[in-house]
Amino acid sequence: MHFASDIDNVSCVPGKSKSKRRSGCPVSISLERFGDRWSLLIIRDLMVRGFRTFKEFQESGEGIATNILADRLQSLEAAGIITAEEEKTDGRRVNYRLTEKGIDLAPVLLELLIWAARHEETGAPCALIARMANNREQVVAEVRRRWRERDQTPFLPKFGDDEGSDKSMQTRRVRNPSNA
């Protein structure tokens, strides 16, 4: 593995608090910030589904309890991954939005999506995942564009368990081993 040429591409953040961390490992620190199921699903919904409100997250179909949702939104905001903004037309309503730190997770979520579709049975259409895997840079660029322009149009459909018999790359491989 060659990392020397990549050193200039990673900026370290000096002076950030390291209190209450299990270790100095970047993976461990990342998991402390957003590594639970609910936080990643909230980030996903903000990033690719166009969700913005507490109610939209609650009705996403994942079954998150309101107290857990409120806690995760607060934690993600405290970590600087999301921001809460008052609705311009109704100050009682709050819209959530990824920060730059949050949108930088786009490649991570893309890789998680591709990995799961390759190795697990999912509701993701095989052709869609294959296109995304073959066009990673364009996918991330489009997600970032939508974020910059505050475009709430969903980038991905909601994947279900009954969206057809060819649900995932894993299913396709099992049915047709020559595609493996």
Side-chain angles (χ1 to χ4, degrees), residues 4-170:
S5 63
D6 293 332
I7 290 174
D8 291 335
N9 295 332
V10 177
S11 65
C12 294
V13 183
K16 289 288 182 177
S17 171
K18 295 178 186 172
S19 62
K20 297 184 183 179
R21 291 190 175 158
R22 287 185 290 263
S23 74
C25 171
V27 173
S28 178
I29 293 167
S30 297
L31 291 173
E32 288 174 10
R33 292 288 178 240
F34 60 82
D36 68 282
R37 169 187 179 182
W38 299 118
S39 293
L40 283 171
L41 293 175
I42 290 166
I43 293 166
R44 174 206 62 192
D45 288 346
L46 284 164
M47 192 176 294
V48 299
R49 288 189 173 168
F51 290 6
R52 296 290 177 263
T53 66
F54 189 95
K55 185 176 180 180
E56 288 173 321
F57 297 124
Q58 191 176 20
E59 294 174 352
S60 71
E62 301 289 349
I64 187 170
T66 57
N67 63 323
I68 293 174
L69 176 56
D71 178 71
R72 294 316 185 276
L73 289 168
Q74 186 177 34
S75 296
L76 289 168
E77 187 176 11
I81 294 171
I82 67 171
T83 186
E85 304 170 340
E86 278 187 11
E87 173 83 32
K88 289 181 173 65
T89 58
D90 182 356
R92 297 170 296 173
R93 189 169 163 175
V94 175
N95 289 321
Y96 295 92
R97 186 175 192 302
L98 290 168
T99 61
E100 188 169 348
K101 182 177 180 178
I103 200 65
D104 281 347
L105 292 168
V108 175
L109 286 182
L110 175 61
E111 292 304 323
L112 286 172
L113 186 144
I114 293 168
W115 179 87
R118 280 188 181 152
H119 300 289
E120 301 292 333
E121 187 171 324
T122 71
C126 181
L128 174 63
I129 300 304
R131 280 194 310 271
M132 293 174 76
N134 291 330
N135 299 291
R136 285 172 165 89
E137 289 181 23
Q138 292 87 351
V139 170
V140 170
E142 176 62 13
V143 167
R144 287 182 185 278
R145 181 200 64 77
R146 288 169 185 241
W147 172 76
R148 258 189 328 276
E149 296 177 8
R150 295 178 175 255
D151 182 347
Q152 290 182 245
T153 307
F155 183 75
L156 290 178
K158 180 178 178 183
F159 300 133
D161 292 332
D162 58 350
E163 291 186 20
S165 59
D166 191 15
K167 295 180 186 174
S168 68
M169 296 172 107
Q170 180 70 16

